[in-house]
Amino acid sequence: MSLDDLPTAIVQTDPDVVAGFAHDEARLVQRSTPAAVLSPRDTDEVAACLRAARAAGLTVVTRGAGTGLAGGANAPAGSVVLSTRRLDRIVAIDVEERVAVVQPGVLTGDLRAAVEEVGLFYPPDPGSVAISTIGGNVATDAGGMCCVKYGVTGDYVLGLEVVLADGRVLRTGRRTVKGVAGYDLTHLLVGSEGTLGVITEVTLRLRPAPPAPATVVATFASLPDAGRAVERMSADALDVSLLELLDATTLRAIDAHTGMGLDAAAMLLVQSDQPDPTATLAAVQRACEGAGAVDVAVTTDVEEGRQLLEARRQALPALERLGDWLLDDVCVPRRAIVALVQGVEQVARAEGLTIGVFGHAGDGNMHPTVIFDQQDPESEAAARRAFDAITALALDLGGTVTGEHGVGRLKAGWLARELDPVALDVHRAVKAALDPEGRLNPGSVLGARR
Amino acid sequence: MSLDDLPTAIVQTDPDVVAGFAHDEARLVQRSTPAAVLSPRDTDEVAACLRAARAAGLTVVTRGAGTGLAGGANAPAGSVVLSTRRLDRIVAIDVEERVAVVQPGVLTGDLRAAVEEVGLFYPPDPGSVAISTIGGNVATDAGGMCCVKYGVTGDYVLGLEVVLADGRVLRTGRRTVKGVAGYDLTHLLVGSEGTLGVITEVTLRLRPAPPAPATVVATFASLPDAGRAVERMSADALDVSLLELLDATTLRAIDAHTGMGLDAAAMLLVQSDQPDPTATLAAVQRACEGAGAVDVAVTTDVEEGRQLLEARRQALPALERLGDWLLDDVCVPRRAIVALVQGVEQVARAEGLTIGVFGHAGDGNMHPTVIFDQQDPESEAAARRAFDAITALALDLGGTVTGEHGVGRLKAGWLARELDPVALDVHRAVKAALDPEGRLNPGSVLGARR
């Protein structure tokens, strides 16, 4: 069996088409042109693709929408890209049991809209929610702004159908609320970034739809003030459904981009979706004012809340306008957020770079965004140094090198720094158990094969 | 290295002592007398125990408090039991980050009490909470009455320290709220029932302490009535923190045991720990009355609530007084609870046995308890048939063979029925990757080695 034996309708080798599948949205990560793009239409065809690639001696990179930020979908030399774009059906929504069964190519925003129509809620909302796929979200265990209250993608995955490297079809998990029969292969596969199998179906837990959120926006004259407000809210365990931080650099960029009139050292955006958020809103306000907030605005109006959140949504687009960008994704203990952001400011000064910081303060998961000029080798080198310094700082602060974007190819070297040698060995043993020939997404997560 | 090289203080071979470590609380499951009981005092000694057992050609069964209900801690021939009883320190409670670090031998009830003292909450509450250990709870991914609102043990495990079969020490996970660096080895180990490694330290997520719960108790003239009430509450996604069901057989046994004056076809116990549970309590009451409840009692008094819950706590002790018992632990989709309990009633009639059913209706996780006479081979055979018929019924209803007790040796054969051959193969490949010699808890979960 070779690629020629696959249905012609699912194989593309046109160089112009194939070139568009060479990489995802990560910067400064190696990529090659894949030998072909395979777009199977069902699980059997996925299995056929894997068998054909194996017979042809090619490796396989699975790709959702290509919105990844860690180069996990970049094609290495000698690979084919397996696109999930045609596996795009919402198979079933069971309203009573609050379970959805979906194919991996469904856009996360489309699933959220479909379950909303029947009064349910699929919380995970990565920044790319409108354009990224459920399969990619599961493969990276994507997060978002919801996580402070609702957790990450993996918290909603009950079971999977997965095609293994040799073409066998594995079913994991269950459809019941609880269950402990056997090893948790489901969550071994969640976040494995296409290195252990190709996800062909996902069974997801849903929640009842929450009320529309109320919103608080607070600005601060210094970053530590905002940090103290976050610490207060966290210590009081306020029931907030969103808790985002924007630093001065990011606010300046947004202001330049939108003319919103933002001018502060830091801004906090907070929401609560409780049935009656009155007490929580008051506590958020007290936390902000107690930490010396310059201005605090509270609204229960949904549309006004949406407008206030607009600054957050414009963070990355605004920073992108300043130049080329390298987006980091570190997560630290909540008490270390201020130390992290101040450390980033030092790095920016030392390298003479603009680095905006925004992110999920309620989880300690921040996105320092290094702005540089890809045409200027010195600027690129400085950006790489800054990126590395920030990632190292996160580890020093007791954090992790990736909170929600994944390791991919961008941080394969960093994984070896976060994990100890025994943990790396166990990773390699698990990889070898499921993909003994190293057929799936080689070089991603675990780096080059030893 | 052999067992003789271990510190004498941690090795027991006295036949009287060793006999007490031959089995856990499961009935009708094979066990042997272990060659020795090893009680290491730190991680290094755990590693030494594993190396010594390996050198001596012995297998290793890790044991917490021995309260398991699936024979997962039963000693096979040629094994030593590794007891975690001396690894009983709460290493740290970080109030600000809401994280606890504990050794595996800590009693779950003791940890709950310790974090309560600092205003925090560790939700998992298996029935054995006062006498079982965190290590055992993690190894089985234990549940409890909290799960309908707060999830299971695994939902609180951030990271682990584990000694592998060859004595190497593995650290998994993190201390941050989020993190996706590498494979989720933490949750591969959670629920692996001592077959992949020996847990020596657990990092746990904590929650803020909730308010004291309000309680509703409702009795029904028929089981389907109670089932309809559960369905109503579930469909309305009421924010309840406990939702337990007792059937007529269980109620009769409790009444005979306690003289509480219980006489109903079914009883529901419901709690809500919201700050203001008024609306939820009213909705619970409406759901019960709408389903034809005979009597509904509501109280916000904590002591009164505790007394009302006493019936639930007496379920197993009361059934135990009726004879020998075989406790099942099946989980079905919520809509199938009534079908499950009615099916159990049919099985009881067909086999001429008493089978009480109680459990976590909010999760569909029920505990049919077969009463029999172990001295009577016919009664024992009938009990085994009944147990198998109930477990098969749960699978037929789209459920799982174990909701929270684990597979152990009791249900190793059933795992092979729940999983397909590919999933079983992957289980074996993962087991071989982490424990190539089959040194850890052989025969448990995956059954005899092929």
Side-chain angles (χ1 to χ4, degrees):
Chain A
M1 179 159 205
S2 76
L3 298 190
D4 296 336
D5 298 322
L6 294 171
T8 52
I10 69 171
V11 182
Q12 290 170 291
T13 52
D14 180 324
D16 289 345
V17 172
V18 167
F21 288 77
H23 62 86
D24 61 22
E25 292 295 320
R27 306 301 149 94
L28 306 187
V29 183
Q30 285 235 315
R31 76 284 297 267
S32 283
T33 306
V37 175
L38 311 179
S39 305
R41 294 163 295 194
D42 57 31
T43 302
D44 285 348
E45 285 189 350
V46 172
C49 287
L50 285 169
R51 286 193 296 265
R54 189 183 186 194
L58 295 164
T59 61
V60 179
V61 175
T62 309
R63 180 189 180 94
T67 60
L69 291 161
N74 282 21
S79 66
V80 293
V81 167
L82 191 158
S83 166
T84 61
R85 66 196 174 86
R86 282 174 174 160
L87 300 168
D88 62 351
R89 265 193 320 123
I90 296 177
V91 178
I93 297 174
D94 182 336
V95 177
E96 197 184 335
E97 297 285 333
R98 291 195 284 280
V99 166
V101 179
V102 299
Q103 291 188 320
V106 171
L107 295 183
T108 304
D110 288 352
L111 176 68
R112 284 168 57 101
V115 305
E116 199 178 320
E117 270 180 35
V118 293
L120 295 175
F121 179 40
Y122 174 69
D125 60 348
S128 60
V129 60
I131 53 170
S132 66
T133 65
I134 288 290
N137 289 182
V138 172
T140 53
D141 198 7
M145 297 201 263
C146 75
C147 306
V148 66
K149 177 162 183 173
Y150 292 108
V152 296
T153 299
D155 295 324
Y156 294 87
V157 181
L158 286 172
L160 295 172
E161 181 189 81
V162 174
V163 180
L164 299 173
D166 59 11
R168 288 181 301 163
V169 179
L170 167 69
R171 285 199 157 270
T172 75
R174 54 199 156 75
R175 285 186 66 157
T176 52
V177 180
K178 287 163 78 179
V180 293
Y183 301 150
D184 187 353
L185 299 180
T186 303
H187 290 96
L188 178 63
L189 286 152
V190 170
S192 66
E193 304 186 39
T195 64
L196 299 178
V198 180
I199 297 166
T200 49
E201 192 177 277
V202 185
T203 302
L204 293 166
R205 198 165 68 86
L206 305 172
R207 293 183 60 102
T215 305
V216 180
V217 177
T219 52
F220 297 84
S222 85
L223 183 74
D225 288 354
R228 276 204 311 280
V230 171
E231 277 171 22
R232 182 75 261 156
M233 286 184 253
S234 175
D236 291 350
L238 299 186
D239 183 5
V240 298
S241 53
L242 179 148
L243 174 42
E244 299 286 312
L245 171 68
L246 306 171
D247 79 344
T249 302
T250 306
L251 290 171
R252 270 196 305 275
I254 297 169
D255 193 46
H257 180 37
T258 64
M260 277 181 180
L262 302 174
D263 177 24
M267 176 184 272
L268 288 179
L269 295 150
V270 191
Q271 289 192 325
S272 168
D273 62 4
Q274 293 170 287
D276 177 3
T278 316
T280 297
L281 293 178
V284 169
Q285 189 163 4
R286 273 198 307 277
C288 292
E289 287 170 355
V294 175
D295 189 55
V296 183
V298 182
T299 180
T300 56
D301 184 87
V302 177
E303 190 43 47
E304 212 173 301
R306 206 170 279 155
Q307 283 166 21
L308 290 171
L309 267 199
E310 192 55 25
R312 171 65 181 86
R313 291 190 209 288
Q314 291 300 326
L316 190 54
L319 288 165
E320 281 180 352
R321 287 166 56 101
L322 303 183
D324 296 305
W325 51 274
L326 192 54
L327 185 71
D328 208 339
D329 166 48
V330 292
C331 189
V332 295
R334 285 178 284 237
R335 71 162 71 91
I337 292 173
V338 170
L340 176 73
V341 185
Q342 289 179 328
V344 172
E345 287 172 358
Q346 280 174 23
V347 170
R349 276 195 300 275
E351 296 291 354
L353 291 167
T354 297
I355 309 181
V357 185
F358 60 94
H360 317 303
D363 304 314
N365 184 197
M366 304 303 288
H367 297 307
T369 304
V370 183
I371 306 301
F372 68 106
D373 177 2
Q374 209 158 343
Q375 306 308 314
D376 173 357
E378 277 187 33
S379 173
E380 182 178 313
R384 284 181 189 270
R385 283 195 304 271
F387 185 85
D388 286 348
I390 293 166
T391 311
L393 174 62
L395 280 183
D396 287 346
L397 291 170
T400 173
V401 302
T402 174
E404 59 182 10
H405 292 172
V407 175
R409 287 171 177 78
L410 180 65
K411 287 187 172 169
W414 281 101
L415 187 71
R417 282 184 60 172
E418 177 161 339
L419 303 183
D420 62 36
V422 175
L424 268 182
D425 275 357
V426 173
H427 272 73
R428 293 207 172 92
V430 168
K431 167 75 173 170
L434 271 79
D435 178 21
E437 296 176 359
R439 189 70 55 196
L440 298 174
N441 212 356
S444 198
V445 184
L446 292 175
R449 216 179 176 194
R450 289 191 308 189
Chain B
M1 180 157 202
S2 76
L3 298 190
D4 296 337
D5 299 322
L6 294 171
T8 53
I10 68 170
V11 182
Q12 290 171 291
T13 53
D14 180 325
D16 287 347
V17 172
V18 168
F21 288 77
H23 63 86
D24 62 22
E25 292 294 321
R27 306 301 152 95
L28 306 185
V29 183
Q30 284 234 318
R31 77 285 297 266
S32 281
T33 306
V37 176
L38 311 179
S39 305
R41 295 163 295 194
D42 57 31
T43 301
D44 285 347
E45 286 189 351
V46 171
C49 288
L50 286 169
R51 286 192 296 264
R54 189 184 186 193
L58 296 164
T59 61
V60 178
V61 175
T62 309
R63 180 188 180 93
T67 60
L69 291 161
N74 282 20
S79 66
V80 292
V81 167
L82 191 158
S83 166
T84 61
R85 66 196 174 85
R86 283 175 174 158
L87 300 169
D88 63 350
R89 264 190 322 123
I90 296 175
V91 178
I93 297 174
D94 183 335
V95 176
E96 197 184 335
E97 297 285 332
R98 291 196 284 281
V99 166
V101 179
V102 299
Q103 293 189 317
V106 171
L107 295 182
T108 305
D110 288 351
L111 175 69
R112 284 168 57 101
V115 306
E116 200 178 320
E117 271 180 34
V118 293
L120 294 175
F121 179 41
Y122 173 70
D125 60 347
S128 60
V129 61
I131 52 170
S132 65
T133 65
I134 290 289
N137 289 182
V138 171
T140 53
D141 198 7
M145 296 200 264
C146 74
C147 306
V148 65
K149 178 162 181 171
Y150 292 108
V152 296
T153 298
D155 294 324
Y156 295 86
V157 182
L158 286 172
L160 296 171
E161 182 190 80
V162 174
V163 181
L164 299 172
D166 58 12
R168 287 181 302 162
V169 179
L170 168 69
R171 283 199 158 270
T172 74
R174 56 199 153 76
R175 285 185 68 156
T176 52
V177 180
K178 286 162 80 179
V180 291
Y183 301 152
D184 186 355
L185 299 181
T186 302
H187 290 95
L188 179 63
L189 286 152
V190 169
S192 66
E193 304 186 39
T195 64
L196 300 179
V198 180
I199 296 165
T200 49
E201 193 177 276
V202 186
T203 302
L204 293 166
R205 197 164 68 86
L206 304 172
R207 291 183 61 102
T215 306
V216 180
V217 177
T219 52
F220 297 84
S222 85
L223 183 73
D225 287 355
R228 275 203 312 279
V230 171
E231 277 170 22
R232 183 75 259 154
M233 287 184 254
S234 175
D236 291 349
L238 299 186
D239 182 5
V240 299
S241 54
L242 180 149
L243 175 42
E244 299 287 310
L245 170 69
L246 306 172
D247 79 344
T249 302
T250 305
L251 290 170
R252 271 196 304 276
I254 297 169
D255 194 47
H257 180 37
T258 64
M260 276 182 180
L262 302 174
D263 177 23
M267 175 184 274
L268 288 179
L269 294 151
V270 191
Q271 288 192 325
S272 169
D273 62 4
Q274 293 170 285
D276 177 3
T278 316
T280 298
L281 293 178
V284 169
Q285 190 162 5
R286 274 198 307 278
C288 292
E289 287 170 355
V294 175
D295 190 54
V296 183
V298 183
T299 180
T300 55
D301 183 87
V302 178
E303 190 43 46
E304 212 172 302
R306 208 170 277 155
Q307 283 166 23
L308 291 171
L309 266 199
E310 192 55 25
R312 171 62 181 86
R313 294 191 207 287
Q314 292 300 326
L316 190 54
L319 288 165
E320 281 180 352
R321 287 167 58 99
L322 303 182
D324 297 304
W325 50 274
L326 192 54
L327 185 71
D328 209 339
D329 166 48
V330 291
C331 190
V332 295
R334 285 178 286 238
R335 70 162 70 92
I337 293 174
V338 169
L340 175 73
V341 185
Q342 289 179 327
V344 172
E345 286 173 357
Q346 280 174 23
V347 170
R349 276 195 299 275
E351 295 291 353
L353 291 168
T354 297
I355 308 180
V357 186
F358 59 95
H360 317 304
D363 304 313
N365 183 197
M366 305 303 288
H367 297 306
T369 304
V370 183
I371 306 301
F372 68 105
D373 176 2
Q374 209 159 344
Q375 306 306 314
D376 174 358
E378 277 187 31
S379 174
E380 182 179 313
R384 284 183 188 269
R385 283 195 304 271
F387 184 86
D388 286 346
I390 293 166
T391 311
L393 174 62
L395 280 184
D396 287 347
L397 291 170
T400 173
V401 302
T402 175
E404 58 182 11
H405 292 172
V407 174
R409 287 169 177 80
L410 180 65
K411 285 185 172 170
W414 281 101
L415 187 70
R417 281 183 62 173
E418 178 161 338
L419 304 184
D420 62 37
V422 175
L424 267 182
D425 275 357
V426 174
H427 272 73
R428 293 207 173 91
V430 168
K431 167 75 171 169
L434 272 79
D435 178 20
E437 297 175 358
R439 191 70 55 195
L440 299 173
N441 212 357
S444 198
V445 184
L446 292 175
R449 217 178 175 196
R450 290 192 307 188

